[in-house]
Amino acid sequence: MLHQSQYAAEKSRRDDAAKQKRAPRDDRAGSRVALPQTPWVRLGDKAPDFTQDSTQGPIHLYEWMGDSWAVLFSHPADFTPVCTTELGMVARLKPEFETRNVKVIGLSVDPLFRHDMWAHDIAQTQGVELNFPLLADADRKVAQLYDMIHPNAHATETVRSVFIIDPKKTVRLILTYPAETGRNFDELLRVIDSLQLADDHKVATPANWKPGEDVVILPSVSNTEAAELFPRGYKELKPYLRVTPQPNFEPPGQEASRA
Ligand code: BEZ
């Protein structure tokens, strides 16, 4: 485990560099880390592909994803309290992601040996093994590709970015959280449910929707098509606002009552 004083020294080294508005020396590489400008990644873009070291060996994103969805998320640094709880939560929720054909992959700009040491702390404090890969992006290759370093928030550490990538490798969600706030990973599952419903059933999900609640029919679907697609019917509140029960959802007990 990294001793508190070692962590404090590392943190102070980074903060000093940040104050001087320059990237700190990367002691492993023996050279200053450059942060060149890269084009933004936006919704609908092809997710930038990469190969990078991880706690589960080198990962080539597209190959690793195969036909799955992916959640790629960054956190500011290893051995930090909020990040520790986040990784524990994602490890606990892994079966929920798997049910939805989603692979999860974390990232910070710390080197692999620190990830490996931190994994012990995560298991010890969160009661769950780190059961998904954590990219060791010490050269900031992936962080730059995905614009995960916001220099006015912190010169060198990644912010809490999230990218949901679909099996066609299209970016479907981008979220950016500050270092101070741990993410709500149930919300990511909710978004994945919504995106998968939209792809499969030509519907969208209203504000604060939860699985099982009514959905709305995409404006591109005509009323004639809607009548075929949604045999349980729909309510037309306005020509552009048509509400229908969630297509792939049977309310509990309904099947039994029909039998
Ligand atoms: C954390 O993960 O606990 C954290 C990281 C950077 C700043 C504040 C909190």
Side-chain angles (χ1 to χ4, degrees):
M1 195 194 311
L2 203 68
H3 191 274
Q4 187 65 31
S5 63
Q6 289 171 289
Y7 171 72
E10 170 69 8
K11 183 102 186 65
S12 135
R13 190 176 70 80
R14 288 176 183 219
D15 288 347
D16 285 352
K19 273 184 214 137
Q20 291 170 39
K21 293 222 183 306
R22 61 168 173 77
R25 274 178 64 86
D26 181 337
D27 289 338
R28 269 177 0 120
S31 63
R32 206 169 296 292
V33 177
L35 294 172
Q37 281 287 312
T38 51
W40 313 132
V41 177
R42 291 182 169 162
L43 296 190
D45 289 355
K46 209 55 147 183
D49 199 11
F50 59 79
T51 302
Q52 183 59 289
D53 279 346
S54 86
T55 48
Q56 296 186 3
I59 286 201
H60 173 202
L61 179 73
Y62 281 17
E63 236 171 60
W64 174 80
M65 282 180 67
D67 293 329
S68 299
W69 292 65
V71 172
L72 166 66
F73 67 101
S74 59
H75 54 267
D78 293 1
F79 302 102
T80 48
V82 176
C83 301
T84 304
T85 63
E86 286 193 324
L87 295 201
M89 181 55 71
V90 173
R92 268 195 297 282
L93 288 175
K94 193 179 173 207
E96 290 292 333
F97 286 106
E98 283 174 345
T99 301
R100 294 162 173 80
N101 186 33
V102 181
K103 292 183 172 179
V104 286
I105 185 163
L107 173 152
S108 74
V109 294
D110 290 82
L112 199 50
F113 78 91
R114 285 171 59 89
H115 283 1
D116 288 338
M117 289 193 296
W118 188 32
H120 291 289
D121 293 1
I122 292 167
Q124 195 182 47
T125 61
Q126 306 303 302
V128 61
E129 294 290 329
L130 186 65
N131 54 11
F132 59 90
L134 203 52
L135 294 169
D137 196 39
D139 62 4
R140 291 150 173 81
K141 181 167 65 184
V142 181
Q144 284 166 27
L145 267 179
Y146 281 82
D147 189 33
M148 292 166 167
I149 295 176
H150 297 194
N152 291 328
H154 195 284
T156 56
E157 287 177 357
T158 37
V159 290
R160 296 188 201 283
S161 295
V162 185
F163 296 85
I164 294 181
I165 304 168
D166 74 14
K168 291 182 184 154
K169 317 296 183 287
T170 302
V171 176
R172 301 291 297 275
L173 167 135
I174 301 173
L175 269 179
T176 310
Y177 268 53
E180 293 82 359
T181 310
R183 284 159 285 202
N184 184 334
F185 290 92
D186 290 332
E187 167 62 1
L188 294 186
L189 291 168
R190 192 188 76 96
V191 174
I192 290 162
D193 286 338
S194 167
L195 289 171
Q196 294 184 346
L197 260 183
D199 286 359
D200 294 345
H201 298 283
K202 298 193 179 176
V203 294
T205 56
N208 286 19
W209 172 84
K210 291 191 283 305
E213 294 178 353
D214 287 354
V215 298
V216 296
I217 300 172
L218 289 183
S220 57
V221 176
S222 70
N223 279 354
T224 313
E225 198 188 350
E228 282 167 29
L229 286 175
F230 308 105
R232 285 193 272 174
Y234 63 88
K235 268 185 254 160
E236 185 174 303
L237 305 177
K238 290 282 174 191
Y240 58 85
L241 178 54
R242 295 164 297 171
V243 180
T244 189
Q246 180 182 323
N248 60 353
F249 180 77
E250 282 285 341
Q254 190 149 307
E255 222 175 344
S257 68
R258 272 209 309 267

